[in-house]
């Protein structure tokens, strides 16, 4: 039962969240304080009656014990096992009632869920994976998607989403490449910030992850050490987080599992406090990646026991331990009482947690667990599926189309072969509920997810199908039948790629790293055999990473890439293949030509490109930003204006883009910076702006960018970010490897140091004919 507690100040909604938090802290015991700094992973009861029946198996303690002093967070009540959305909402509300009744202050828990490809709950719409967000080059659409995801989460009683992932892809072998937006920090930052705006605009706390360096692990191995210099960290890894913080307004950050130069992120005070809070001004909560604090002892070896790990994390700036109570439980309580950890660190973290709870209304006396009634919770509807389809359509990338084999002409005999062609799971990333939680055959997927075979079959009469082989394994017995099907057709659509999963359950996903970039299993043998038939082949890849498309794939008449395009990805692919939709996606990652020679992305200095001093050629098969259309576009330069670009000013450059083809389409105008001489080596080109432009046949548009000189900044020899005077070029490109218009400029003035208040964006201006 609750005791008598003065509530006038911390319950007072007229006071600021910070004031309410400050009023509550002195009233709490040590045990009550620390209880607010932990999550508990219990899941939801499928009957709707409260916490999951087996919650003790997950927490290690009884439910009544763990909530006796209050509770900071509930971990993934919907995302742990299949539960009907209405029953899950009822269960969550019942659990919250128990939490409030058990402790003196009656504060409910903050509830978090994964939401990388949609609300990660059974029967919730599955949207395209983040690489598809990047492939769309459409932040506005991504923001709309995030807003819809957030509203569905709020309706179910969720407060915090563990997304977006802002890791910049550095090695495609890394299993979590599918969770990234791409290999360019500007693309990741702008699209990631849009996702944050959508989620936060719906009232959900967005959580940036993984801060920082996780994607730069040695050998592309999950949780492997990241060995990088401070310039790579400052100029490639950190900018997306800074952009999302300033342009999106997230209220939480999740520390990375990474260790950089021997220092784990969870124990890095310079990163989590010095940079994030003191440098960037972040005022929200830092939450632990799951079990990341215990990993300081178990995996990194920088702590002798749980108490020391907890102390290191608190001092570094971690506020909340997730997913469940561990080091921040009894070990931390005992360490504080023994004088090993300063209680002021507890109060610092608690202040941030309670302030956020006040912002969310969780300290209000009239708080309700759900905005509406449980019966109103619907996680998959036609509007959501249509939005998922729109993003999937924009994300499909046409890489090659020789002989105009695409779109598929009516009346042609079409064979569909390949192991992912009739697999709905090939559409889903590893954080989609069916892939993340694992199979429950008795319940099915919980959603209608058309495979490519099903979707294409509705558009192409008499479609023949042969799987050829499995996604994994060495069984080649089905290749002969696939070859026969191809030989008897006018065109063969050959679908190969991945199945997402966790920790070895898939070929892509968390813990599913690759030793090289060959297609999994015997899929390459299938491709070679089908190409040898001489039948025109449309190679379709459904994958979470770019696989090498070397000389053996050159015979493919067309190549189409889908990066786990979601619940309606099969329909989007079928529409692109048949011409119902004009493809407009662009590569968010380069597609390598060689399965070895890694790691390499387009952000390479001259010596990272093909040279005469090495026999290894890193030139990709298809570069970052590449993508074709069923129409054509002509580009012409606009007057570039002054050739001088002040180091503290801006410049406006532009092109005219005209649709010279037979149908409407979207062109993605990309702007790259080339800095030929600098005090440190620089990437040959790097993206500094882009604009997606939709034009009717024959229509033209003026596309200009106002670019701040801060866009040319980089980390100089003294470790400071500077804008350096000298000659540079702004290159308008159809990709990072194809410049159409080059504008030579000269940065003028004295070398200028810039800080975290620098201008981050190039502003695009689009004026269509007739507007």
């Amino acid at each position: 039962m609750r005791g008598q507690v003065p509530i006038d100040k911390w319950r007072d909604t007229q006071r600021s969240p910070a004031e309410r938090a400050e009023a509550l802290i002195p009233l709490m015991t040590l045990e009550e304080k620390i209880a607010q700094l932990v999550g508990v992973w219990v899941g939801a009861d499928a009957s709707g009656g409260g916490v999951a029946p087996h919650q003790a198996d997950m927490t290690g303690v009884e439910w009544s014990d763990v909530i006796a002093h209050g509770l900071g967070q509930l971990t993934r009540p919907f995302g742990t096992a299949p539960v009907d959305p209405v029953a899950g909402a009822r269960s969550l509300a019942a659990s919250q009632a128990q939490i409030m009744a058990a402790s003196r202050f009656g504060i409910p828990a903050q509830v978090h869920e994964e939401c990388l490809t949609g609300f990660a709950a059974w029967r919730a719409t599955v949207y395209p994976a983040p690489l598809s967000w990047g492939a769309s080059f459409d932040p506005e659409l991504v923001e709309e998607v995030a807003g819809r995801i957030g509203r569905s989460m709020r309706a179910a009683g969720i407060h915090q989403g563990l997304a977006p992932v802002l890791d910049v892809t550095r090695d495609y072998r890394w299993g979590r490449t599918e969770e990234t937006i791409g290999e360019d920090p500007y693309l990741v930052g702008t699209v990631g910030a849009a996702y944050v705006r959508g989620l936060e605009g719906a009232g959900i706390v967005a959580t940036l992850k993984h801060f920082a360096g996780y994607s730069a692990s040695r050998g592309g191995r999950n949780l492997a050490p990241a060995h990088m210099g401070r310039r790579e960290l400052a100029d490639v890894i950190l900018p997306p987080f800074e952009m999302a913080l300033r342009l999106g307004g997230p209220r939480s950050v999740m520390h990375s599992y990474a260790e950089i130069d021997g220092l784990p992120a969870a124990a890095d005070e310079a990163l989590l406090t010095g940079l994030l809070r003191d440098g960037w001004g972040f005022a929200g909560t830092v939450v632990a990646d799951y079990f990341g604090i215990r990993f300081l002892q178990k995996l990194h070896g920088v702590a002798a026991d749980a108490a020391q790990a907890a102390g290191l994390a608190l001092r570094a700036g971690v506020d909340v331990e997730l997913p469940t109570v561990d080091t921040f439980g009894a070990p931390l309580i005992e360490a504080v009482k023994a004088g090993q950890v300063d209680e002021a660190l507890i109060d610092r973290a608690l202040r941030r947690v309670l302030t956020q709870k006040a912002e969310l209304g969780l300290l209000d006396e009239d708080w309700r667990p759900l905005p509406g009634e449980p019966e109103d919770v619907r996680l998959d509807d036609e509007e959501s599926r249509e939005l998922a389809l729109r993003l999937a359509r924009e994300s499909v990338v046409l890489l090659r189309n020789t002989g105009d084999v695409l779109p598929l002409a009516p009346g042609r005999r079409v064979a569909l072969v390949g192991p992912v062609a009739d697999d709905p799971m090939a559409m889903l990333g590893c954080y989609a509920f069916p892939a993340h939680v694992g199979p429950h055959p008795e319940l099915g997927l919980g959603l209608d997810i058309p495979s490519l075979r099903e979707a294409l079959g509705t558009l192409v009469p008499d479609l023949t199908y042969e799987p050829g082989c499995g996604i994994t394994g060495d069984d080649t017995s089905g290749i002969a039948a696939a070859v026969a099907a191809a030989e008897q057709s006018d065109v063969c659509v050959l679908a190969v790629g991945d199945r997402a999963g966790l920790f070895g359950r898939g070929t892509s996903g968390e813990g599913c790293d690759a030793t090289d970039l060959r297609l999994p299993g015997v899929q390459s043998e299938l491709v070679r055999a089908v190409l040898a038939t001489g039948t025109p082949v449309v190679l379709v890849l459904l994958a979470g990473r770019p696989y090498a498309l070397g000389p053996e794939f050159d015979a493919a008449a067309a190549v189409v890439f889908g990066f786990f395009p979601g619940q309606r990805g099969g329909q989007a692919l079928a529409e692109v293949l048949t011409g119902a939709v004009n493809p407009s996606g662009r590569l968010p990652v380069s597609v390598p030509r060689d399965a070895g020679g890694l790691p390499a992305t387009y952000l390479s200095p001259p010596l990272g490109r093909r040279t005469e001093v090495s026999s290894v050629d890193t030139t990709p098969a298809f570069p970052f930003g590449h993508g074709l259309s069923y129409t054509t576009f002509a580009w012409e330069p606009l007057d570039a204006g002054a050739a001088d670009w002040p180091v503290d000013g801006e410049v406006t450059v532009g092109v005219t883009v005209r649709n010279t083809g037979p149908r409407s389409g979207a062109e993605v105008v990309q702007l790259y910076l080339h800095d030929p001489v600098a005090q440190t080596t620089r990437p040959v080109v790097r993206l500094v702006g882009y604009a997606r432009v939709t034009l009717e046949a024959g229509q033209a548009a003026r596309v200009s960018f106002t670019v701040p000189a801060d866009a040319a900044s980089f980390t100089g020899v003294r470790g400071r970010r500077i804008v350096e005077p000298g000659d540079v070029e702004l290159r308008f490109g159809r990709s990072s490897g194809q410049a159409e218009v080059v504008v030579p400029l000269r940065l003028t003035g004295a070398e200028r140091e810039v800080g975290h208040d620098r201008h981050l964006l190039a502003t695009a201006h689009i004026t269509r004919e007739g507007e």
Side-chain angles (χ1 to χ4, degrees), residues 13-36:
T13 58
Q14 299 303 308
R15 297 177 182 271
S16 71
E19 289 174 329
R20 296 173 69 183
E22 206 64 53
L24 180 54
I25 291 172
L27 306 178
M28 303 177 80
T29 66
L30 176 62
E31 288 78 8
E32 288 169 335
K33 290 176 179 180
I34 291 178
Q36 291 295 321

Side-chain angles (χ1 to χ4, degrees), residues 37 647 754:
L37 308 185
V647 295
V754 298

Side-chain angles (χ1 to χ4, degrees), residues 725-762:
D727 293 329
V728 296
E729 294 176 354
L730 287 174
R731 298 178 176 180
F732 286 90
R734 299 181 192 268
S735 72
S736 60
Q738 184 180 359
E740 293 292 322
V741 174
V742 176
V743 182
L745 297 163
R746 182 168 184 81
L747 283 160
T748 58
E751 180 179 298
R752 171 173 160 261
E753 185 175 322
V754 298
H756 299 305
D757 59 347
R758 69 189 185 281
H759 296 285
L760 299 173
L761 295 178

Side-chain angles (χ1 to χ4, degrees), residues 185-198:
Y186 188 86
L187 179 66
V188 174
T190 50
V191 173
Y195 187 91
V196 170
R197 289 194 296 271

Side-chain angles (χ1 to χ4, degrees), residues 337-514:
K337 290 180 177 179
Q340 297 168 351
V341 174
D342 189 346
E343 190 170 348
L345 294 175
I346 306 294
D347 290 349
R348 183 180 71 171
L350 179 63
R351 188 172 293 110
R352 296 162 183 163
V353 167
L354 292 179
T355 298
Q356 189 164 102
K357 284 197 170 187
E359 292 171 352
L360 293 167
L362 298 177
L363 301 189
D364 298 353
E365 217 162 4
D366 60 353
W367 176 84
R368 296 179 58 205
L370 297 174
E373 297 301 322
E375 290 74 16
D376 298 330
V377 177
R378 297 290 182 269
L379 304 183
D380 182 47
D381 55 31
E382 187 55 40
E383 290 184 7
S384 300
R385 291 189 291 270
E386 184 62 28
L387 191 56
L389 177 60
R390 282 174 54 199
L391 182 54
R393 286 168 171 162
E394 289 193 4
S395 70
V396 175
V397 186
L398 176 61
L399 299 180
R400 179 190 299 154
N401 191 20
T402 56
D404 293 326
V405 68
L406 292 179
L408 297 171
R412 304 191 77 185
R413 296 173 300 165
V414 178
L416 176 63
V417 303
V420 303
D422 197 29
D423 185 0
M425 295 295 291
M427 303 295 164
L428 309 183
C430 77
Y431 270 77
F433 184 91
H436 195 73
V437 174
H440 289 268
E442 73 282 7
L443 297 175
L445 297 178
L447 297 168
D448 176 28
I449 306 176
S451 68
L452 177 57
R453 180 188 182 187
E454 182 180 349
L456 190 60
T458 65
L459 301 176
V460 177
D462 303 321
L463 183 72
T464 61
Y465 163 71
E466 289 289 343
C469 65
I471 296 174
T472 58
D474 57 4
D475 185 2
T476 60
S477 61
I479 292 180
V483 166
E487 289 174 334
Q488 295 164 17
S489 64
D490 297 317
V491 61
C492 177
V493 177
L494 174 55
V496 295
D498 283 321
R499 173 177 284 199
L502 289 172
F503 304 112
R505 291 207 311 258
T507 59
S508 174
E510 186 172 358
C512 297
D513 309 316

Side-chain angles (χ1 to χ4, degrees), residues 672-692:
Y672 294 89
L673 175 74
H674 171 61
D675 189 351
V677 179
Q679 59 185 254
T680 66
T681 62
R682 305 296 302 133
V684 175
V685 292
R686 62 182 177 91
L687 188 71
V688 294
Y690 61 88
R692 185 183 175 90

